Amino acid sequence: RNTVAKYLKCVKTVIKYVENHYAEPLSITTMAGICGFSQSHFMKFFKNNMEVSFIEYLNNYRLTMASRLLISSSSSIIAISMESGFDNLSYFNRLFKKKYNMTPIQYRNCGQN
């Protein structure tokens, strides 16, 4: 029972940390440290509890934030990708297209109609 409470607290802490720091570089090492886990234990723990890897979760969160910025701001695609925590534009474009089935520019144009 104590372990469940500890795990639940860890999940909440990690999610909150991502919400507050998604634009910064986030490593498995940092996240594992927050929970007091080894890297391998953290990765297994996160996947078991969230049904996606930490990196998938983080990228998904960042893409959601980027999609909002694409519609609400006139910043460039590269500025939005950086602001959302992606330091590689082609990686951002590839992940964005995979999630939304369109490029960031197409997404922005759809959202403004």
Side-chain angles (χ1 to χ4, degrees):
R1 184 171 159 77
N2 203 0
T3 307
V4 173
K6 182 189 177 200
Y7 278 16
L8 192 59
K9 184 175 184 274
C10 179
V11 168
K12 285 181 178 174
T13 304
V14 167
I15 289 169
K16 198 82 190 138
Y17 194 90
V18 168
E19 287 172 3
N20 294 325
H21 301 274
Y22 69 91
E24 304 162 21
L26 295 180
S27 69
I28 298 290
T29 310
T30 303
M31 304 318 292
I34 287 170
C35 293
F37 294 159
S38 68
Q39 290 179 47
S40 60
H41 183 69
F42 173 77
M43 290 188 298
K44 199 181 310 174
F45 157 81
F46 195 89
K47 180 113 182 173
N48 288 342
N49 286 279
M50 299 297 287
E51 297 180 357
V52 292
S53 72
F54 175 73
I55 298 301
E56 284 176 88
Y57 177 83
L58 176 61
N59 284 337
N60 204 29
Y61 190 87
R62 287 174 167 170
L63 289 168
T64 300
M65 293 300 144
S67 70
R68 292 178 186 173
L69 286 171
L70 284 165
I71 291 171
S72 67
S73 86
S74 57
S75 300
S76 69
I77 304 297
I78 190 156
I80 288 172
S81 84
M82 300 292 275
E83 216 176 304
S84 305
F86 293 97
D87 57 1
N88 181 313
L89 185 61
S90 64
Y91 184 61
F92 168 71
N93 284 331
R94 192 165 60 249
L95 289 181
F96 194 94
K97 189 162 184 174
K98 188 176 175 196
K99 178 174 179 172
Y100 294 103
N101 293 316
M102 58 179 87
T103 66
I105 292 168
Q106 290 167 327
Y107 187 90
R108 171 176 268 168
N109 294 338
C110 281
Q112 292 176 336
N113 293 337

